[in-house]
Every structure is written in structure tokens, then in C-alpha cells.
Amino acid sequence: MKRTKIVSLLLLICVTASLLCVQASARSSNYLDAYRVVLTPQSGGKIVITVDVDGIRNMTQIGASTIFLYESRNGTDFTRIKTYNYEDYPTMMGSGIHHYKDAATYYGVVGRYYYATAYCYAGDETGYDEKSYTTSIVRAKA
């Protein structure tokens, strides 16, 4: 009977510890809470790049520091065609706890494939963090 109680207690401790680990890993960092970048194909080959970044708290800078855009004719072999930096595209970066903006627009070629890798950023007077995010592949529309 005593052995069953000890095993039950150990099992309870393991389950509780695993739940705490899952909860702790849900946060991206001490600055970034969640982040993503989306490419939206629109008519005429237009590709809209949207940045969505959540900070842990109010940030002096939040958004994307750099976005690399890639293009392919066949959907397999991609070449980097454009680099966006927040210094040149102010809509890529803002301040506050949340940043959701159409950061840039690219006029691509109808029928070609595109994806982007962005560096999502959040920082304040205590420091910063930056994580990369790669979008899904999209095809430019007519």
C-alpha cells in the first residue's frame, strides 16, 4: 500500500512538472510572445507582406527588422529577389505591445511562386530578441 502511494506521488509530480514545462515553452522569449509573417497574393501579381508580432509587454520597437523575399518559376528552385529593411520601410516596425501591418508590397510576375523569411523583433530598454520566420509559398495571381 505504501509503495502504491509513493508511485502515485511520483507520477503526480512528473505530470505536474511536464505541464509546467509546456506552459513555460509557450512563450517565444523574454521579449517576443508570438510572431508570424504572411504573404497574400492579390490580382495583377501583387504580393502583400503582412507582419504580425506580439511582445511580452510594451516595446519601444516591435515588428520586423529585415524581410527577404524569394521567387521561383517552378515552385522548387528559389532565388532571393528583394530585401526589405525597416530603416527603408517604416511600416515594418512600430512600438507598443502588438504590431500588425502590411509592411511591404511587391509587384511580382503572375504565375510565379514566392515566399519570405522575416526577422521578427521586439525590444525595449532592457534588451531585445529577434527570431526568424519563414512564410508559406504562394503563387502570384492574374
Side-chain angles (χ1 to χ4, degrees):
M1 185 73 159
K2 185 176 183 177
R3 186 174 196 187
T4 304
K5 286 183 182 181
I6 292 173
V7 170
S8 296
L9 180 61
L10 287 174
L11 185 59
L12 179 63
I13 290 170
C14 290
V15 169
T16 303
S18 68
L19 289 174
L20 290 173
C21 288
V22 168
Q23 180 64 27
S25 67
R27 179 181 289 173
S28 297
S29 75
N30 289 332
Y31 300 91
L32 288 164
D33 188 30
Y35 51 92
R36 71 183 181 134
V37 178
V38 177
L39 297 186
T40 305
Q42 297 182 348
S43 63
K46 182 177 175 180
I47 305 290
V48 177
I49 304 168
T50 305
V51 174
D52 185 6
V53 181
D54 289 324
I56 295 299
R57 59 187 168 277
N58 217 19
M59 297 290 162
T60 53
Q61 284 191 300
I62 187 167
S65 59
T66 306
I67 301 171
F68 298 112
L69 184 64
Y70 298 86
E71 179 184 72
S72 170
R73 291 175 184 259
N74 60 13
T76 304
D77 303 309
F78 284 86
T79 303
R80 186 182 338 171
I81 56 167
K82 183 80 175 165
T83 301
Y84 298 93
N85 291 302
Y86 79 94
E87 293 95 347
D88 300 322
Y89 295 86
T91 55
M92 288 173 55
M93 193 74 74
S95 61
I97 196 164
H98 182 75
H99 184 78
Y100 180 84
K101 295 275 186 194
D102 290 341
T105 300
Y106 182 79
Y107 292 91
V109 177
V110 173
R112 291 200 182 165
Y113 299 88
Y114 296 88
Y115 81 89
T117 297
Y119 290 85
C120 299
Y121 179 98
D124 62 13
E125 63 280 350
T126 65
Y128 72 92
D129 196 10
E130 187 174 54
K131 304 271 188 193
S132 68
Y133 185 92
T134 300
T135 69
S136 299
I137 296 169
V138 300
R139 192 169 191 185
K141 296 181 189 179

